[in-house]
Amino acid sequence: MARTKGSVGADTKTAIYSAAKKLIEAKGFEAMTLRQLAAEVGVQPGSVYRYVESKDELLQALMNQHMVSLIENWEKLEGKGDDPVSRLKAFVAFHIRYHIERRADVVIANLELRSLGEDYRADVVTKRSQYEANLRNILSDGVKAGVFPKVDLEVAAFAIIAMLTGVCFWYRPDGRLSIDEIIEVHQKLVLQGVVG
């Protein structure tokens, strides 16, 4: 088999991760084999092990990449606002836009967590909780300020994130509504849900 462009070093690792996302999204993690992955990248099957120890390690790496990027992008987002309502609207907009633009990452991070072995799962779950804490803090600040009613913050955060993440599973660029319109609808739904 001829070596593909970028089939050495960091380029190969990037190609492996990119191909893995594509294959997992299309076939599911359990159905994807490292042999298929090697063929997709254009390397010998045994070469994959130079870059990943196992399928589980590869899945954890993909999930961690997604979670680290998600956390970092939220933290550096400007213009979130100072009050809880503005911050909640900013969170809704950020979450929807980020997830729509990275559908494969979302499919893997949400649908394949069940496939991740226990040895690798804790780290990913910790990062998820760290991201979700941003929303819980916004809701908590809103409760303290008297603009949101008292609510179980963990349940509310899970419900909101599930609704927002779900958008990437049905959104189509050629659909009836633009991303901005979908964000506006969800901002209203979330605010109505927490304000009452």
Side-chain angles (χ1 to χ4, degrees):
M1 168 183 305
R3 292 176 73 89
T4 59
K5 178 180 184 274
S7 66
V8 292
D11 290 343
T12 300
K13 188 168 187 174
T14 300
I16 287 170
Y17 281 30
S18 178
K21 285 182 192 181
K22 179 179 161 188
L23 288 170
I24 294 169
E25 182 183 18
K27 298 174 178 284
F29 176 74
E30 297 297 337
M32 181 199 76
T33 67
L34 292 181
R35 184 172 292 280
Q36 290 170 331
L37 180 57
E40 186 77 21
V41 176
V43 297
Q44 294 294 325
S47 297
V48 173
Y49 290 104
R50 292 178 59 201
Y51 304 97
V52 295
E53 292 179 18
S54 65
K55 275 181 69 178
D56 269 1
E57 189 269 339
L58 174 61
L59 183 58
Q60 182 202 28
L62 293 174
M63 289 183 174
N64 274 331
Q65 273 185 350
H66 170 68
M67 291 311 305
V68 167
S69 176
L70 182 63
I71 292 164
E72 288 176 353
N73 278 279
W74 168 251
E75 288 174 352
K76 71 181 182 185
L77 181 70
E78 296 180 1
K80 294 176 194 164
D82 296 324
D83 63 288
V85 171
S86 297
R87 286 171 40 224
L88 183 56
K89 288 176 76 173
F91 185 91
V92 169
F94 167 81
H95 191 92
I96 289 175
R97 194 174 306 281
Y98 185 94
H99 284 69
I100 283 176
E101 293 170 356
R102 294 162 183 85
R103 186 178 187 281
D105 293 331
V106 177
V107 167
I108 293 166
N110 287 277
L111 300 183
E112 296 297 349
L113 189 61
R114 66 182 184 260
S115 300
L116 195 59
E118 287 301 321
D119 292 344
Y120 294 103
R121 189 182 188 120
D123 188 40
V124 174
V125 171
T126 297
K127 286 182 176 67
R128 287 181 126 185
S129 183
Q130 182 183 346
Y131 175 70
E132 292 160 0
N134 292 298
L135 178 56
R136 286 193 302 271
N137 290 339
I138 292 168
L139 296 173
S140 176
D141 290 347
V143 170
K144 288 175 190 168
V147 292
F148 303 155
K150 288 183 181 177
V151 65
D152 185 309
L153 299 176
E154 189 172 16
V155 171
F158 286 157
I160 292 168
I161 286 175
M163 178 175 68
L164 302 180
T165 302
V167 173
C168 82
F169 293 101
W170 55 260
Y171 169 77
R172 297 289 174 265
D174 59 349
R176 185 172 57 83
L177 299 175
S178 69
I179 293 176
D180 289 335
E181 290 170 318
I182 289 168
I183 287 171
E184 186 178 344
V185 168
H186 281 77
Q187 286 171 329
K188 288 178 182 174
L189 289 170
V190 169
L191 285 171
Q192 288 169 357
V194 296
V195 174

